[in-house]
Amino acid sequence: MAVVVVAVEGGVAVAVGWTAASSNPTNVFRAATDWTPPTVSGATVSPTSAGAPIGSAGFLRQGSAYRVYASILDLNSGVATVTANLVNESGSGSGAVSLSAGSYPVGGVTYNFASAQQTALLVLAEGPKQYTVATTDNAGNATSATFNVTVDNTPPTGSDIQTANAAAGTNGRPETGDKVIYTFSEPVAPTSILAGWDGTSTNVVFRFLNGNPTDSFVVYNATNTAQLPLGLVSTGKKYVTGTINFGVTGAPSTMVMSGSTITVTLGTPDNANAASSANGGVNMTWTPSAAVTDRAANTLLPTAVLETGSGDVDF
């Protein structure tokens, strides 16, 4: 008698054969097969501290700790192995390292495989570097994909500090809608400014400090309980007669990142009567914080930054 042999992959018949057999002619035998390798849909490298991502996904500096993350999918026999080949690329030169299954959120994306923490080569030229993620399934099918990581070994610095007066505001008087623009030498990692921040608009508190002989300002988190590492700016002149918190009540102050700049927009003041109009043109001085890092986790150099341009009245 003839027996039908059907090979099925993913629920679809892919091969049919006929063979002699002495069994019941009504019997049909089906064998599940898997000839499709897993899919590598994405991967990234991120600098780490104590195993947790810091900096920004896709960036690395020489000699730093990092992990490799990947998204792997196999709908048939399942993923068996995942490795990242880092020889002469972004890794320690140790060859292929294994990635383990799990849930790993990095830079707004959740990956399902990650390596143990690795250490980048002590000397690694700046620029794009390639690495390969390879995977096999339980049926022995294999595939790989190549990705890029950008090496950046240059510490960031502050570049400029400026203000912008609100359209309906009084020049020289800090008010709702006025802006402060912090400019860095390169994009910094938003999470080094505020944990969990992705650079989009978020609420903060802008605090103007009454000083003698000049005033200064800093930025706090939305609950006004912790100062953010944007450093301190000395205005070089008098604007207030008492401390003013912009954004504690009423309209919040906001902070947003675009490229290498972070812009803070002042919200509602809690002590508007303390604001006055400044006179004289003196450039502001910004002292950045070394707690800030760039996307590759290079620490910012806290060199004082003098406002560019001729001396003017800010706000």
Side-chain angles (χ1 to χ4, degrees), residues 60-66 90-92 118-124:
L60 185 68
R61 62 179 172 85
Q62 61 187 12
S64 68
Y66 72 96
S90 58
S92 59
Q118 306 294 311
T119 301
L121 296 171
L122 292 177
V123 178
L124 197 57

Side-chain angles (χ1 to χ4, degrees), residues 43-48 53-62 64-69 90 106-107 111 120 124-129 131 147-154 186-190 257 259 293-298:
T44 195
V45 169
S46 182
T48 57
I54 58 175
S56 297
F59 291 85
L60 185 68
R61 62 179 172 85
Q62 61 187 12
S64 68
Y66 72 96
R67 298 177 78 181
V68 183
Y69 304 86
S90 58
V106 184
Y111 298 88
L124 197 57
E126 291 191 326
K129 306 292 180 182
Y131 62 98
F147 301 90
N148 288 327
V149 58
T150 298
V151 176
D152 175 8
N153 303 320
T154 305
E186 61 174 298
V188 296
M257 181 175 175
T293 70
D294 65 11
R295 295 170 295 181
N298 293 295

Side-chain angles (χ1 to χ4, degrees), residues 5-281:
V5 179
V6 181
V8 179
E9 181 176 357
V12 179
V14 294
V16 177
W18 297 86
T19 184
S22 59
S23 59
N24 187 322
T26 61
N27 288 343
V28 176
F29 299 91
R30 293 179 173 86
T33 61
D34 179 5
W35 297 322
T36 303
T39 300
V40 184
S41 60
T44 195
V45 169
S46 182
T48 57
S49 176
I54 58 175
S56 297
F59 291 85
L60 185 68
R61 62 179 172 85
Q62 61 187 12
S64 68
Y66 72 96
R67 298 177 78 181
V68 183
Y69 304 86
S71 292
I72 311 292
L73 178 65
D74 188 278
L75 298 176
N76 298 308
S77 60
V79 177
T81 65
V82 181
T83 59
N85 187 349
L86 306 169
V87 175
N88 297 323
E89 302 291 351
S90 58
S92 59
S94 60
V97 297
S98 297
L99 276 66
S100 301
S103 179
Y104 307 97
V106 184
V109 178
T110 299
Y111 298 88
N112 61 345
F113 283 86
S115 71
Q117 184 163 284
Q118 306 294 311
T119 301
L121 296 171
L122 292 177
V123 178
L124 197 57
E126 291 191 326
K129 306 292 180 182
Q130 289 187 331
Y131 62 98
T132 300
V133 174
T135 180
T136 63
D137 62 18
N138 287 303
N141 300 299
T143 191
S144 64
T146 300
F147 301 90
N148 288 327
V149 58
T150 298
V151 176
D152 175 8
N153 303 320
T154 305
T157 62
S159 179
D160 194 14
I161 182 73
Q162 296 286 337
T163 65
N165 182 246
T170 300
N171 188 32
R173 179 185 175 94
E175 298 170 301
T176 302
D178 288 350
K179 299 179 185 296
V180 178
I181 303 99
Y182 301 82
T183 302
F184 298 87
S185 59
E186 61 174 298
V188 296
T191 53
S192 70
I193 303 292
L194 179 63
W197 186 39
D198 62 2
T200 58
S201 183
T202 189
N203 293 346
V204 294
V205 172
F206 182 86
R207 182 176 296 181
F208 222 113
L209 302 170
N210 180 35
N212 185 17
T214 66
D215 299 333
S216 57
F217 56 80
V218 293
V219 180
Y220 272 67
N221 62 3
T223 58
N224 201 29
T225 56
Q227 184 179 334
L228 301 185
L230 282 173
L232 180 141
V233 178
S234 174
T235 64
K237 40 195 170 292
K238 288 295 296 178
Y239 285 94
V240 297
T241 58
T243 297
I244 307 177
N245 292 295
F246 290 83
V248 172
T249 59
S253 297
T254 60
M255 176 176 69
V256 66
M257 181 175 175
S258 177
S260 300
T261 66
I262 293 177
T263 300
V264 175
T265 303
L266 278 58
T268 303
D270 64 355
N271 186 15
N273 290 333
S276 60
S277 296
N279 295 310

